[in-house]
Amino acid sequence: MNTNVIANFSKLRPSLFFLPLILLISIALFLYSQHALTVENYVLIQKKYFYFINSGLSQFPNTIYNLTQIGDALIFLSFLSILVLYAPKIWESLLSALLVCALFSRGLKDLFHVPRPAEAYDNNSFVIIGKALPGFSSLPSGHSITVFTIITILLFAFMPKKLNYKILWCFFIITIGLLFVFTRVGVGAHHPLDVITGGIIGYSCGLTGIFISRKYKIWNWINNKKYYPIFIALFLGGCIVLINKICNENLIIFYLALISLIVSLYKIIYVYVKK
């Protein structure tokens, strides 16, 4: 599996960055045409779309609230933890990409300083699932950046060889990604353009992580069994955090993530001890 991932990553070209650049420029031009480059107008032009999406998705509160947790890196990475053993190259890219992701997310939130829906609208006028998130950190959506950072790496790591399968694979991955990120609108945490912009930035972060892992060997130790105790400790810590989450919010997604992490923990301990 790792050999196929490396081969797929080696085929990627920097021209792939043109797509997110074009999309971001298109959003900026759209906002300019709507006189919405100010914070107030940015929020105002999305109001009716926010209410529409929030109203529709919030009809499935349990599903939406579970799915929105995927934007938490711990939850998403728990489901990918087994790849430390079978496709460490993916984890090399993930670590680089998530560092870039964190820098973009925090920096851009501070730069744009856009109010969240709970800050911008009357809280009784839309559905809030879970805890209300006030404040001025709406653009871009951090959950959306995280989701698309990770699925972009998975998209290219497991890209099929045949064109028709490639099209189906891309459609499937992008659809899943959009479903995950729009749950942030469904729970009342973000405006629609927050999650779209976050997804585009996340795609760029994922690509950046792949190119960093290709050029620099800073994470090559992941493939060395003598360093498995690091992951054993991290997985144990992740299990503790997930158990705490289950105690606070009894969500099925936390149980699934915990089971995945426990299985990976067992496998990596087995391989390390067997060495």
Side-chain angles (χ1 to χ4, degrees):
M1 182 186 292
N2 199 49
T3 302
N4 289 335
V5 170
I6 293 171
N8 282 341
F9 283 172
S10 68
K11 298 173 185 176
L12 303 184
R13 298 292 176 262
S15 57
L16 288 167
F17 284 103
F18 288 146
L19 175 60
L21 180 61
I22 291 170
L23 291 175
L24 289 175
I25 291 173
S26 298
I27 290 174
L29 290 175
F30 167 74
L31 292 174
Y32 176 76
S33 70
Q34 300 297 310
H35 308 287
L37 291 177
T38 64
V39 170
E40 294 79 9
N41 288 343
Y42 171 84
V43 172
L44 183 61
I45 65 164
Q46 298 184 76
K47 187 174 182 178
K48 66 178 180 180
Y49 301 107
F50 168 78
Y51 281 133
F52 176 75
I53 297 171
N54 176 259
S55 175
L57 293 180
S58 62
Q59 295 181 45
F60 313 96
N62 291 332
T63 301
I64 293 301
Y65 195 48
N66 272 278
L67 289 180
T68 203
Q69 308 303 323
I70 296 292
D72 183 332
L74 171 63
I75 306 302
F76 207 155
L77 293 179
S78 293
F79 291 108
L80 305 180
S81 54
I82 195 68
L83 295 179
V84 169
L85 290 171
Y86 300 112
K89 193 64 180 177
I90 288 178
W91 269 82
E92 290 180 32
S93 300
L94 281 172
L95 291 177
S96 294
L98 289 171
L99 287 175
V100 176
C101 162
L103 290 174
F104 270 106
S105 180
R106 187 67 268 159
L108 292 175
K109 282 178 182 289
D110 291 340
L111 175 65
F112 294 122
H113 203 60
V114 172
R116 288 180 180 269
E119 190 77 40
Y121 312 131
D122 177 2
N123 287 7
N124 295 317
S125 65
F126 65 97
V127 179
I128 296 174
I129 302 173
K131 185 188 297 184
L133 297 175
F136 292 78
S137 57
S138 199
L139 177 67
S141 163
H143 279 65
S144 302
I145 295 178
T146 300
V147 166
F148 265 87
T149 294
I150 296 173
I151 70 165
T152 296
I153 291 172
L154 297 178
L155 170 70
F156 291 114
F158 299 114
M159 183 69 73
K161 290 183 173 61
K162 293 184 178 180
L163 179 60
N164 55 338
Y165 292 153
K166 283 184 178 180
I167 294 171
L168 288 173
W169 175 241
C170 290
F171 177 78
F172 172 75
I173 285 291
I174 293 171
T175 301
I176 291 296
L178 290 173
L179 173 63
F180 287 158
V181 302
F182 270 95
T183 61
R184 302 306 292 162
V185 182
V187 300
H190 282 285
H191 310 285
L193 279 179
D194 297 344
V195 301
I196 293 172
T197 305
I200 297 168
I201 294 170
Y203 171 84
S204 302
C205 292
L207 276 178
T208 302
I210 292 172
F211 283 110
I212 290 174
S213 72
R214 257 176 37 177
K215 185 169 183 179
Y216 303 102
K217 310 303 179 184
I218 52 178
W219 306 112
N220 272 14
W221 54 268
I222 292 174
N223 200 25
N224 192 326
K225 291 181 181 179
K226 75 176 184 178
Y227 294 110
Y228 279 5
I230 295 175
F231 285 99
I232 292 171
L234 289 173
F235 290 176
L236 281 171
C239 288
I240 293 170
V241 173
L242 285 170
I243 290 170
N244 184 59
K245 284 180 176 289
I246 289 170
C247 292
N248 293 328
E249 293 183 283
N250 194 29
L251 298 178
I252 189 171
I253 194 73
F254 295 155
Y255 286 100
L256 295 175
L258 180 60
I259 291 169
S260 179
L261 206 51
I262 289 172
V263 170
S264 300
L265 184 60
Y266 167 78
K267 290 288 292 183
I268 200 168
I269 290 174
Y270 177 81
V271 171
Y272 180 70
V273 172
K274 192 179 177 181
K275 73 171 185 176

